[in-house]
Amino acid sequence: MKAHIVHAHSEPASFTAAMRDVAKAALEAKGYDVTISDLYAMGFDPLISRADFTHEVGEPVAFTKEQRVGWSERTLDPAILAEANKTLAADLLVLTFPVYWFSVPAMLKGWMDRVLLSGPFYSGRDMYDRGGMKGKKALAIASLGGRPHMFGADSLHGPLGNGMLRHVLQGTLGVCGYEVVEPFFAYHAPYVKPEARTEMLAQLKDYVSGVETLPALKMPSLSDFDEKFRPIKPSN
């Protein structure tokens, strides 16, 4: 079994980096072959542009179309090909990041824009339970400053996993076909005492160790929609 961790935090000594290391150790203890892309350390370029392609592109650039051509002809920036190949090879994709402004860091968003290519990962017809990553799992591990009571249906910020981060968990990972397991959140991480962070890391170790049995987020099934993605109404 292979796992690929994509890490997005600028500080090597951050608590998010500690979570990455705990996740890596827990997966290796279960027999996973683990690779890591530390995006800041790599100097990964998050900006999608025509420079992503070595073939001649149209005017203006239709990025999803050119990604399909680039993947088919292997005329993509070598950095993109390397990241796509590592991700495609993994049975489990793990994202470690801090929550910034109801989202992921721009570095991680750029990685998703450039690496989760139209073609091998998804297409306009092949998504969710027909996506390229069907049969594989994805796990998000995130730190944030808020406290648990600040998130939920009637809370200050609303739901977290199926609200604030739905664009990542469903709109990105789910669309690609991943079975997206319940994410792990380290609440109020910058402000708690060191012993509380130590306890969070212990909880994360146990959480990742059980990744095969973690519940998955509910995703749409294309069988519930017609060929133009209109809902199929149940017959009376």
Side-chain angles (χ1 to χ4, degrees), residues 121-123 126-134 167-178 180 219-220:
F121 289 91
Y122 76 100
S123 74
D126 298 308
M127 62 186 85
Y128 293 118
D129 51 355
R130 296 180 196 167
M133 297 296 98
K134 182 180 179 180
H167 63 291
V168 174
L169 302 177
Q170 177 178 337
T172 304
L173 300 174
V175 165
C176 288
Y178 283 108
V180 184
M219 297 292 167

Side-chain angles (χ1 to χ4, degrees), residues 9 55 61-62 89 95 141 165 178 226:
H9 199 295
H55 63 266
V61 180
L95 306 180
I141 298 171
L165 293 178
Y178 283 108
D226 68 15

Side-chain angles (χ1 to χ4, degrees), residues 69 166 217:
V69 173
R166 182 170 175 247
L217 302 179

Side-chain angles (χ1 to χ4, degrees), residues 29-196:
K30 290 183 64 63
Y32 279 85
D33 178 11
V34 182
T35 55
I36 295 178
S37 290
D38 185 336
L39 301 183
Y40 285 93
M42 294 162 53
F44 183 80
D45 182 1
L47 300 180
I48 193 169
S49 74
R50 63 178 55 240
D52 289 0
F53 314 104
T54 59
H55 63 266
E56 186 175 349
V57 297
E59 292 286 349
V61 180
F63 285 99
T64 54
K65 175 184 175 182
E66 301 299 349
Q67 285 180 345
R68 292 192 293 273
V69 173
W71 177 254
S72 176
E73 300 182 359
R74 296 303 188 266
T75 51
L76 292 163
D77 180 330
I80 296 175
L81 280 173
E83 288 299 300
N85 285 330
K86 285 187 287 187
T87 306
L88 288 166
D91 303 287
L92 170 66
L93 174 65
V94 179
L95 306 180
T96 57
F97 60 92
V99 174
Y100 290 165
W101 292 113
F102 281 34
S103 189
V104 298
M107 179 68 86
L108 181 54
K109 178 59 167 65
W111 182 89
M112 293 187 289
D113 290 344
R114 298 183 71 214
V115 174
L116 301 182
L117 301 163
S118 177
F121 289 91
Y122 76 100
S123 74
R125 303 298 305 174
D126 298 308
M127 62 186 85
Y128 293 118
D129 51 355
R130 296 180 196 167
M133 297 296 98
K134 182 180 179 180
K136 301 189 176 190
K137 294 179 182 287
L139 168 64
I141 298 171
S143 62
L144 63 161
R147 301 174 186 271
H149 66 262
M150 298 167 67
F151 304 93
D154 299 316
S155 299
L156 176 65
H157 294 311
L160 182 50
N162 62 351
M164 183 185 295
L165 293 178
R166 182 170 175 247
H167 63 291
V168 174
L169 302 177
Q170 177 178 337
T172 304
L173 300 174
V175 165
C176 288
Y178 283 108
E179 178 185 337
V180 184
V181 301
E182 288 281 354
F184 181 92
F185 294 115
Y187 292 97
H188 211 48
Y191 311 110
V192 298
K193 294 180 179 180
E195 51 267 32

Side-chain angles (χ1 to χ4, degrees), residues 207-229:
Y207 198 81
V208 173
S209 295
V211 67
E212 286 89 359
T213 58
L214 291 175
L217 302 179
K218 183 175 175 55
M219 297 292 167
S221 171
L222 294 193
S223 63
D224 295 328
F225 301 85
D226 68 15
E227 70 281 357
K228 294 187 177 180
F229 300 132

